[in-house]
């Protein structure tokens, strides 16, 4: 891929693909510099009009090819996610690969309805003989900063929605999981998306900051609240539309009439699924005093049965 820096072991700033289970560094990437980020955005801007000019039917056919490629390479992708993010093989397959296939299918099948023009009657009585038509146009170049906890599904969901609508995408994946995002980009290119329309830029925090400051038309960010605030300020300074999914502190609530076995099982799964690294994982459990001790006993017993590895 011409848009992805070659792996190096010395020199400029680097990010590393590390196996969390062993600590082994198995791939080293040169961080994309701010100058390279801006150059990538300019290439995307030049390529985007031709991509948007393609019919929606053609973009959907490309997505159909992508869906086949992801399915055919599902074991390869799950193994890559397992090596880079430390997920068990089954979880990598179900929570990343299969959910990504579902997103491809959704965009492929629902895009015609979601993107079609709509004609409406104005609510203003003075204009009741008029008709208003709402048409959807692509923004242009979409910047995406994605996290490491779902290294395929989360960048794919934003990327695919942007691409099917006719936008170009510049994706900065987490510095902890660059290889998965790069492989996803390669599959998109193999399926027919032009390289300058979909670019993956491995890098550290400076790369992400440069993307937020670049001449993009919209930004999607998924990550911490602290970083999300910084990205929001950068976008607000230039009135760039900004969509974000920061982390949260989600409570689980157990009331007196709850089935305690079911509650303990569900909360335990929610807390420990993906090693707890999920935005909606319950961080606190609020339990009615009448069932507190019984609930604690059940969830403690169940947690003791979890097996590492």
């Amino acid at each position: 891929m011409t848009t992805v820096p070659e792996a190096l072991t010395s020199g400029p700033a680097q990010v590393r693909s590390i196996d969390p289970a062993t600590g082994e560094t198995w791939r080293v990437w040169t961080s994309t510099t701010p100058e390279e980020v801006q150059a990538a955005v300019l290439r995307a801007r030049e390529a985007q009009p031709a991509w948007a000019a393609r019919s929606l039917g053609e973009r959907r056919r490309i997505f159909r090819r992508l869906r086949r490629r992801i399915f055919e390479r599902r074991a390869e992708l799950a193994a890559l996610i397992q090596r880079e993010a430390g997920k068990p093989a089954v979880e990598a397959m179900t929570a990343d690969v299969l959910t990504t296939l579902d997103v491809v299918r959704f965009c492929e099948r629902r895009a015609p309805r979601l993107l079609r023009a709509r004609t409406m009657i104005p609510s203003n009585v003075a204009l009741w003989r008029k008709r208003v038509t709402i048409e959807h146009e692509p923004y242009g170049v979409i910047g995406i900063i994605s996290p490491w906890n779902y290294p395929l599904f989360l960048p794919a969901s934003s990327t695919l929605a942007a691409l099917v609508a006719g936008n170009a995408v510049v994706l900065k994946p987490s510095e902890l999981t660059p290889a998965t995002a790069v492989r996803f980009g390669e599959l998109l290119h193999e399926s027919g998306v032009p390289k300058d329309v979909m670019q993956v830029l491995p890098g550290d925090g400076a790369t992400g900051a440069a993307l937020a400051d670049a001449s993009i038309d919209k930004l999607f960010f998924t990550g911490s609240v602290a970083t999300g605030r910084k990205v929001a300020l950068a976008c607000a300074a230039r009135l760039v539309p900004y969509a974000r999914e920061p982390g949260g502190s989600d409570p689980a609530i157990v009331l007196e009439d709850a089935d305690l076995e079911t509650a303990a099982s569900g909360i335990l799964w929610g807390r420990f699924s993906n090693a707890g690294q999920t935005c909606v994982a319950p961080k606190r459990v609020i339990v009615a005093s009448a069932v507190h001790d019984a609930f604690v006993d059940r969830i403690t017993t169940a947690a003791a049965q979890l097996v590492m590895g």
Side-chain angles (χ1 to χ4, degrees):
M1 293 174 59
T2 58
T3 58
V4 177
E6 292 295 323
L8 299 175
T9 56
S10 63
Q14 301 170 340
V15 294
R16 300 171 182 270
S17 295
I18 300 174
D19 187 332
T22 64
E24 171 200 4
T25 297
W26 53 272
R27 180 79 189 257
V28 182
W29 312 80
T30 301
S31 284
T32 308
T33 66
E35 294 77 18
E36 291 169 332
V37 171
Q38 184 60 30
V41 171
L42 292 177
R43 290 194 301 271
R45 188 165 302 288
E46 291 179 0
Q48 185 269 332
W51 173 248
R54 297 193 189 190
S55 69
L56 179 57
E58 184 175 356
R59 293 198 295 271
R60 292 174 66 211
R61 285 191 291 273
I62 289 173
F63 273 45
R64 195 171 300 121
R65 291 196 291 270
L66 173 67
R67 184 154 52 91
R68 286 197 296 266
R69 278 175 167 79
I70 292 176
F71 181 78
E72 291 165 356
R73 294 162 175 79
R74 61 192 183 279
E76 170 203 334
L77 287 167
L80 178 60
I81 294 165
Q82 183 178 18
R83 188 180 189 190
E84 191 170 52
K87 295 174 186 275
V90 171
E91 193 158 300
M93 180 67 75
T94 56
D96 262 290
V97 178
L98 297 186
T99 50
T100 299
L101 282 169
D102 194 42
V103 172
V104 180
R105 183 183 181 187
F106 177 87
C107 291
E108 175 193 333
R109 295 191 175 187
R110 301 295 290 275
R113 192 181 74 163
L114 294 173
L115 296 176
R116 73 184 179 206
R118 290 185 296 138
T119 300
M120 304 172 62
I121 301 174
S123 58
N124 189 326
V125 67
L127 301 175
W128 69 275
R129 288 184 177 274
K130 304 294 183 181
R131 296 295 182 268
V132 175
T133 299
I134 300 175
E135 295 185 355
H136 299 279
E137 296 182 355
Y139 277 93
V141 179
I142 306 296
I144 297 174
I145 300 175
S146 64
W148 52 266
N149 55 336
Y150 292 93
L152 180 62
F153 166 62
L154 286 179
S157 58
S158 300
T159 296
L160 294 170
L163 289 175
V164 78
N167 299 283
V169 170
V170 179
L171 167 64
K172 188 275 177 189
S174 167
E175 58 270 27
L176 300 176
T177 53
T180 302
V182 168
R183 186 68 185 111
F184 173 60
E186 291 172 346
L187 292 174
L188 279 163
H189 297 158
E190 293 171 13
S191 302
V193 177
K195 289 189 175 182
D196 286 344
V197 169
M198 168 56 186
Q199 301 178 68
V200 182
L201 307 181
D204 54 15
T207 304
L211 182 57
D213 288 331
S215 55
I216 55 176
D217 299 299
K218 188 170 185 175
L219 183 80
F220 283 85
F221 169 82
T222 307
S224 71
V225 173
T227 303
R229 286 196 183 101
K230 296 177 182 178
V231 175
L233 289 171
C235 291
R238 296 180 295 113
L239 297 179
V240 173
Y242 169 50
R244 65 195 183 278
E245 185 195 349
S249 182
D250 312 287
I253 301 174
V254 182
L255 302 179
E256 291 184 17
D257 60 348
D259 181 323
L260 298 186
E261 291 291 346
T262 300
S265 176
I267 291 170
L268 193 71
W269 177 85
R271 176 66 269 181
F272 287 95
S273 177
N274 201 43
Q277 303 300 333
T278 302
C279 58
V280 295
K283 283 75 171 177
R284 298 166 289 138
V285 183
I286 301 170
V287 185
S289 57
V291 295
H292 174 273
D293 293 346
F295 174 80
V296 170
D297 179 65
R298 283 171 170 79
I299 200 166
T300 301
T301 301
Q305 298 173 5
L306 296 176
V307 178
M308 292 294 293

